[in-house]
Amino acid sequence: MNITLPIPSRWGISADVGGRPLVWGTVEIHSIMDQKIEGSINFRGVPIPIQGYWTENTRHLMFDSPYATFSGNLSIYNDPSINTRHFLINGRLQMKQTSMMAGEYGTWVASTNAPLGQGGGTPQGQSQIPPVGAFTTSDYLNGAVNRGQQTAE
């Protein structure tokens, strides 16, 4: 069964790096061609390019920015009551030498939504209600979270 990410898409992202407070931002996936991802990530108001890979059969995503390497797995949750399909990626990251936090590890979560039925695949999880990360990153994406608290690249 094909599992597709919505393309193009804009995701809310939060990251915890080296035990430091959450950092909020956005990820845009502009294209996926032959499993190669192109897009941008934005934690400080200026989008920076990302490139990576999407492995459909394992639902694994990996991409690099100039400052960090991100790796994660996709889950899909349907909410028929609001006609919404939630896409959620959870993963780990490692800061690169170009970062002031070089060598630090952390975690990240990103989410986006689409009308129910868009993007292939079967929903995950028992309850069909996504974890709280889907709601907080969605709130950021839609402007409900204070964007003045961004502290890392």
Side-chain angles (χ1 to χ4, degrees):
M1 174 182 303
N2 286 346
I3 307 301
T4 58
L5 294 173
I7 303 300
S9 57
R10 187 168 184 254
W11 301 64
I13 183 173
S14 66
D16 182 356
V17 181
R20 295 188 181 171
L22 292 177
V23 179
W24 299 95
T26 58
V27 172
E28 292 191 21
I29 300 176
H30 302 144
S31 68
I32 298 177
M33 184 83 86
D34 297 325
Q35 296 185 319
K36 294 179 184 170
I37 295 173
E38 290 192 11
S40 62
I41 193 165
N42 183 344
F43 283 119
R44 292 188 171 180
V46 177
I48 55 176
I50 61 169
Q51 293 185 332
Y53 296 93
W54 163 246
T55 307
E56 190 172 289
N57 61 345
T58 61
R59 297 183 182 192
H60 185 262
L61 174 94
M62 188 286 301
F63 62 86
D64 285 307
S65 80
Y67 303 104
T69 297
F70 296 79
S71 178
N73 291 300
L74 173 70
S75 298
I76 301 170
Y77 301 88
N78 286 345
D79 188 344
S81 68
I82 59 172
N83 194 37
T84 300
R85 174 165 275 185
H86 300 278
F87 295 86
L88 184 73
I89 302 172
N90 283 308
R92 301 217 8 105
L93 65 91
Q94 181 178 10
M95 303 305 291
K96 293 181 174 182
Q97 291 300 320
T98 51
S99 168
M100 294 182 337
M101 298 168 57
E104 295 281 349
Y105 288 87
T107 58
W108 65 286
V109 60
S111 69
T112 195
N113 302 317
L116 198 57
Q118 286 190 358
T122 304
Q124 304 297 301
Q126 299 284 6
S127 68
Q128 299 308 308
I129 298 173
V132 70
F135 296 107
T136 56
T137 54
S138 180
D139 284 348
Y140 178 84
L141 191 59
N142 294 306
V145 172
N146 180 358
R147 295 182 181 175
Q149 297 177 356
Q150 302 153 4
T151 59
E153 58 260 29

